[in-house]
Amino acid sequence: MALRKSQKQAVLAVIAGCLLAVLLWVKDGKNTDSDFVMRGEPGEGSIEKEYILEAEGLFTDDAWTVTAEERKLTMEEKKETFSKAQKELEQQILGANQSLEEINKDLYLPDTLQDGMVKVEYSFSDYRIFYPDGTIRQLPQKAEVITVFAEMECQKETSIYEFAIQVVPFEKGSKELLIEKVKAALEQENEKTGENKLTLPKEIGDVKLLWKEKTENRSLPVAVLGIVAAVCILASEKEKEKKVKKERERQLQMDYPEILGKLILLMGAGMNAAMAWKRIAEAYRKRREERNIPIKPAYEEMLTTVYEMQDGIGEVQSYKNFGERCRIAEYRKLAAILAQNVKKGNVQIQRILEEEKIEVYEKHKARVKKAGEEAGTKLLFPMLLMLLVVLVIIMVPAGMSMNL
């Protein structure tokens, strides 16, 4: 039995996996002799490796975990590392500040320097200005010098680096200064006695002030309401069109069995399709004019078809146009039957129409049944409300009599 392509691929994958597993087993299962463990670079931490130790005459296959500490720096290397860490700290500690002589924003205190080789702890000579984490507690009124102590540790060697920073008050811009002057002017006006009004300052220094009373801007809500109203109108119009279309389809479906029955009756009496069609349409037009009966879309489309035939449009094309205007499967089918009868002279049209009538009546009964079920469902909620009213009428007097 030949294997399919996918089955062949699956078999090859299994074979390749088995071969790879065997190779790895051979490689990993063989214990290689080793005389050293490569240490990690300073800052990388220790490295652990699993070994099998054999001691001649004492034990074999003894499991050992060997920990290799990171490479130890010489004293010269440590001094160089501390020097580089100090320069790095002077740059990083600035944070968003421009220089160590102009500090008025939070400091950045890194926990490690030099790629983790140096650990650092900090302290300040004055904690009135800074919190221990380097954030500003309160800026001074004038410039102050603060000493920062950084205790650095590198492979159990420590070095304390201290340096000075100058904390300066936040420089106010022209806008902030003007705001303060305006506030001061308003406070001065409020201190006046016997005045029944507050005079707003017209000028501060060389800057002229223009006061405008703030009013509620209702343009945006009105615009939003307009947009919402437009959307609602469009939605309601669309819903209205949908309801009109649905009602038209319902009327077309309701009138179809009647039209089909009249066609069968007249064609059975000897009329051809065009004559029977015209007879039905003209009878509807006369009843509508004389008795003011409501407009029925199916009969209106039949009248349009009669007018098309009178204007010279072929009978077959007129029937097709009728089916397209009605846009319902039953009418399209009727139009196709009549068009086929005109083109090929189908002698079986009476029987075809009779079969169509039977099928239509079955569909009509199903629609009526469905409409009845929907009506029953719609009545369920009012019936529940009535039940609640009845329960209230019964239970309230009973509860009141029990309380008495």
Side-chain angles (χ1 to χ4, degrees):
M1 180 178 176
L3 294 176
R4 290 180 295 180
K5 184 177 180 181
S6 59
Q7 293 174 333
K8 291 179 180 179
Q9 292 175 346
V11 171
L12 290 175
V14 172
I15 294 173
C18 292
L19 290 175
L20 182 61
V22 170
L23 291 174
L24 291 174
W25 178 78
V26 171
K27 180 181 177 182
D28 297 340
K30 184 178 179 181
N31 297 324
T32 57
D33 297 336
S34 179
D35 296 329
F36 59 86
V37 180
M38 292 298 298
R39 295 179 182 271
E41 287 299 312
E44 294 181 356
S46 59
I47 297 174
E48 290 188 353
K49 280 199 170 186
E50 302 294 331
Y51 283 88
I52 301 297
L53 180 61
E54 296 182 1
E56 186 177 357
L58 296 176
F59 53 81
T60 58
D61 296 337
D62 194 20
W64 278 69
T65 300
V66 177
T67 302
E69 299 291 340
E70 63 185 28
R71 184 175 68 83
K72 303 299 182 182
L73 297 176
T74 64
M75 289 303 298
E76 292 297 326
E77 288 177 327
K78 288 180 181 180
K79 288 180 181 180
E80 184 180 357
T81 301
F82 281 135
S83 178
K84 291 179 179 179
Q86 291 171 7
K87 294 179 181 179
E88 182 182 356
L89 177 60
E90 290 178 0
Q91 292 296 323
Q92 291 200 25
I93 199 172
L94 290 175
N97 296 284
Q98 298 299 320
S99 67
L100 295 177
E101 288 75 26
E102 294 183 12
I103 301 293
N104 53 22
K105 298 182 180 66
D106 295 340
L107 300 176
Y108 173 66
L109 306 179
D111 295 329
T112 59
L113 298 167
Q114 292 296 296
D115 298 327
M117 287 192 292
V118 179
K119 297 178 181 179
V120 194
E121 293 184 358
Y122 303 90
S123 60
F124 298 93
S125 61
D126 192 341
Y127 284 97
R128 291 181 296 109
I129 298 174
F130 291 102
Y131 287 102
D133 63 353
T135 56
I136 291 178
R137 184 193 299 267
Q138 184 179 6
L139 286 175
Q141 296 296 324
K142 59 181 181 178
E144 288 191 22
V145 177
I146 302 294
T147 303
V148 181
F149 300 95
E151 185 177 352
M152 302 181 181
E153 180 185 355
C154 178
Q155 293 186 353
K156 298 182 180 182
E157 289 290 331
T158 59
S159 174
I160 297 178
Y161 175 56
E162 59 181 80
F163 57 98
I165 61 174
Q166 181 172 248
V167 184
V168 297
F170 185 76
E171 292 185 3
K172 296 178 181 178
S174 57
K175 181 179 178 180
E176 287 78 10
L177 292 173
L178 179 62
I179 290 173
E180 287 187 358
K181 291 179 181 179
V182 171
K183 288 181 178 179
L186 290 174
E187 289 178 1
Q188 186 177 357
E189 282 293 323
N190 277 318
E191 292 297 326
K192 293 181 180 179
T193 59
E195 296 289 339
N196 58 0
K197 61 181 180 180
L198 175 70
T199 303
L200 300 175
K202 299 292 184 182
E203 189 175 0
I204 299 292
D206 297 333
V207 180
K208 293 183 178 180
L209 304 178
L210 179 62
W211 298 85
K212 294 181 180 180
E213 187 175 355
K214 186 177 180 181
T215 57
E216 184 180 358
N217 188 359
R218 293 174 289 180
S219 59
L220 182 59
V222 170
V224 173
L225 286 175
I227 295 172
V228 172
V231 172
C232 291
I233 291 171
L234 293 175
S236 63
E237 190 67 24
K238 190 173 181 180
E239 186 66 23
K240 185 178 178 181
E241 292 177 0
K242 188 177 178 181
K243 287 182 179 179
V244 171
K245 182 179 178 182
K246 190 174 181 180
E247 177 62 22
R248 181 177 183 273
E249 291 179 355
R250 190 187 70 82
Q251 286 284 347
L252 287 170
Q253 290 175 345
M254 294 293 292
D255 292 335
Y256 184 70
E258 181 181 319
I259 293 172
L260 188 60
K262 290 178 180 179
L263 279 174
I264 293 171
L265 181 63
L266 293 175
M267 292 177 72
M271 292 185 181
N272 61 24
M275 292 176 61
W277 190 277
K278 184 177 180 181
R279 182 75 173 268
I280 295 170
E282 291 293 336
Y284 161 74
R285 183 177 61 80
K286 289 180 181 179
R287 290 200 312 273
R288 189 188 65 186
E289 292 174 353
E290 294 174 359
R291 303 179 188 177
N292 295 322
I293 62 174
I295 295 176
K296 296 185 177 183
Y299 288 95
E300 292 292 330
E301 297 298 344
M302 290 183 73
L303 274 174
T304 302
T305 303
V306 172
Y307 299 148
E308 286 182 350
M309 293 179 185
Q310 292 174 352
D311 290 340
I313 299 176
E315 187 177 348
V316 173
Q317 188 61 42
S318 298
Y319 289 142
K320 289 181 179 180
N321 294 343
F322 169 77
E324 291 300 321
R325 289 195 301 272
C326 291
R327 296 181 181 179
I328 292 181
E330 289 89 342
Y331 285 93
R332 286 194 176 101
K333 186 176 181 181
L334 176 61
I337 293 172
L338 296 177
Q340 186 74 11
N341 175 64
V342 173
K343 287 192 291 186
K344 296 187 178 180
N346 193 347
V347 295
Q348 302 291 335
I349 186 170
Q350 192 73 15
R351 181 182 59 79
I352 294 173
L353 291 177
E354 289 287 352
E355 292 175 355
E356 175 67 11
K357 182 179 179 181
I358 294 171
E359 184 179 348
V360 165
Y361 274 113
E362 290 297 326
K363 291 181 179 179
H364 182 69
K365 285 194 294 183
R367 279 196 295 267
V368 171
K369 183 178 178 182
K370 183 179 179 182
E373 292 174 352
E374 290 177 353
T377 304
K378 291 178 181 178
L379 290 173
L380 184 61
F381 182 69
M383 290 174 66
L384 287 174
L385 291 179
M386 292 176 64
L387 177 61
L388 290 175
V389 171
V390 171
L391 289 175
V392 170
I393 293 172
I394 294 172
M395 298 299 293
V396 169
M400 292 176 65
S401 62
M402 290 176 64
N403 290 333
L404 293 173

